[in-house]
Amino acid sequence: MDETTLFFIQQKIGYQFVNPVLLKQAFISSSLSAATQNRVQNYQILEFIGDAVLGVAVVKNLASEFCYVDASGQFVSSVTEGNLSEEKTRLVKNEKLAHCSNVLEFDSYLERAHAYFLHDRKNKKGDLIESVLGAVAIDSKWNMEVLSRVASELLKYDKSAENATEKLHNYCEGKGLCLPTYSFWNNGTRYDCAVSVQTVNELFVGNGNSAEEAQNMAAELAYGYLSTQNVTKKQTVDQTKEISISKKSLTSVEMLNLKYVKKAKHAAAKAMLNFLENSKQEEKSIPSRKLIGIGLLKRAMILRKEAF
């Protein structure tokens, strides 16, 4: 996980880590840990901690919202104990956690030694919410105010208000496609986000006043294209488009320095190698990759994770 990804995950959850290694660990699968003979620790112990912390944080937030100490010094609630219990159950159940994990795209950050089946992925989504909260608990030295705030940030997404990121995630899962990959760029007061689906030769770019806004815009463009074209795994297997960027087009981007030109060229070369390996076809002339959305292909390629 690169520094750019770490930065934007911290933005999403509203917490800056003192020890970012803990946040990285929250996205290490047991398969990767086993592959390294436990030299790399996985997220499971953090999930265990986060599971307990989540319950306490949710209860604290509910008590702050519905309860108070009256003039006589008694602790009273504006709703019944049953109401509080129901709301707590709704917030911590796995379906809710999985939905929030989808919106936050946590599953796309999970580092694993090998791919796993779709039903396994669904079972692990909620775990990532808990592992991230567990990492925050350790990093903040169990600061309850911090934990309550981060828990609220992680759980703020309502199923009834499904956003574009969630729709795109669900579409890819339903069609058997690879999960979307998001890359971000901060250009001062504005944010750019590029999203791609590995076997779909299109790149979708959005921008906004926040990383979340830019991500949703890019996801909306991607979802609109995929759903309109009814793209499925079977269709993407036969696609044979080459990703290419010319030096001339790169240098036409204003204020693009040599460091980023090299990164973009590296990303293009790596993408081409992946294409040749996956398609097992002889190299031939194929049209350039099409850019859909706001921004330029030159800058979007820099955003790709392979470049960092």
Side-chain angles (χ1 to χ4, degrees):
M1 184 180 291
D2 58 45
E3 296 303 316
T4 303
T5 302
L6 284 172
F7 172 77
F8 282 104
I9 293 175
Q10 290 173 97
Q11 272 211 325
K12 287 181 178 182
I13 68 175
Y15 178 77
Q16 184 73 35
F17 275 78
V18 177
N19 176 15
V21 173
L22 289 170
L23 182 56
K24 290 183 179 181
Q25 183 180 342
F27 292 96
I28 299 294
S29 70
S30 56
S31 66
L32 184 58
S33 183
T36 62
Q37 297 180 337
N38 292 323
R39 290 194 300 273
V40 177
Q41 297 299 307
N42 62 54
Y43 71 81
Q44 291 177 332
I45 185 62
L46 295 177
E47 179 213 341
F48 167 77
I49 293 171
D51 178 55
V53 169
L54 180 62
V56 175
V58 166
V59 169
K60 181 181 183 300
N61 290 337
L62 290 174
S64 298
E65 183 175 357
F66 298 107
C67 306
Y68 60 96
V69 177
D70 66 12
S72 67
Q74 298 182 89
F75 188 69
V76 297
S77 174
S78 60
V79 296
T80 68
E81 182 275 335
N83 294 144
L84 292 173
S85 181
E86 288 176 4
E87 183 62 9
K88 179 197 172 189
T89 299
R90 184 187 73 81
L91 289 171
V92 302
K93 66 181 181 180
N94 194 60
E95 182 182 357
K96 168 71 174 180
L97 300 183
H99 169 70
C100 294
S101 183
N102 276 350
V103 176
L104 292 163
E105 281 295 315
F106 276 179
D107 192 52
S108 66
Y109 304 131
L110 184 63
E111 298 184 18
R112 56 182 75 90
H114 51 76
Y116 54 91
F117 295 109
L118 189 60
H119 69 273
D120 293 326
R121 180 188 300 151
K122 289 179 179 178
N123 291 337
K124 293 179 184 295
K125 289 177 183 176
D127 296 350
L128 295 177
I129 294 288
E130 294 172 343
S131 66
V132 168
L133 192 59
V136 173
I138 301 301
D139 193 70
S140 69
K141 302 186 186 304
W142 305 88
N143 186 315
M144 204 60 231
E145 292 300 321
V146 169
L147 292 172
S148 296
R149 176 170 52 80
V150 174
S152 294
E153 195 68 25
L154 291 172
L155 301 178
K156 70 180 182 181
Y157 303 99
D158 192 341
K159 187 69 175 176
S160 62
E162 182 180 60
N163 65 10
T165 303
E166 173 80 351
K167 289 192 296 183
L168 177 61
H169 190 109
N170 288 338
Y171 182 90
C172 291
E173 279 195 337
K175 297 295 184 178
L177 300 172
C178 296
L179 289 180
T181 298
Y182 293 87
S183 298
F184 297 89
W185 177 268
N186 183 355
N187 53 21
T189 59
R190 300 281 288 177
Y191 295 85
D192 290 336
C193 176
V195 57
S196 62
V197 179
Q198 185 177 347
T199 46
V200 177
N201 292 289
E202 305 289 348
L203 192 66
F204 309 89
V205 181
N207 63 20
N209 294 320
S210 66
E212 183 179 343
E213 185 179 330
Q215 179 179 355
N216 274 321
M217 184 176 187
E220 186 67 54
L221 292 167
Y223 175 76
Y225 174 82
L226 295 178
S227 58
T228 300
Q229 300 295 320
N230 194 27
V231 176
T232 65
K233 184 176 182 180
K234 182 177 180 181
Q235 288 175 286
T236 59
V237 169
D238 297 326
Q239 289 183 340
T240 55
K241 294 184 180 179
E242 173 187 344
I243 303 171
S244 62
I245 300 179
S246 67
K247 183 176 180 180
K248 181 178 179 181
S249 66
L250 281 169
T251 54
S252 67
V253 180
E254 294 181 1
M255 301 178 67
L256 185 64
N257 61 39
L258 182 60
K259 177 176 66 173
Y260 292 118
V261 172
K262 289 180 178 179
K263 287 181 177 181
K265 289 172 70 178
H266 172 71
K270 187 172 181 179
M272 184 59 191
L273 288 174
N274 289 337
F275 161 74
L276 292 174
E277 180 180 354
N278 293 334
S279 65
K280 297 182 180 180
Q281 296 183 7
E282 293 182 359
E283 184 177 357
K284 56 185 178 180
S285 177
I286 302 174
S288 298
R289 185 176 189 165
K290 180 181 178 183
L291 176 66
I292 293 182
I294 300 173
L296 302 172
L297 177 59
K298 288 78 69 173
R299 185 170 67 176
M301 285 303 299
I302 297 171
L303 293 171
R304 290 184 61 82
K305 291 182 180 178
E306 294 91 345
F308 291 91

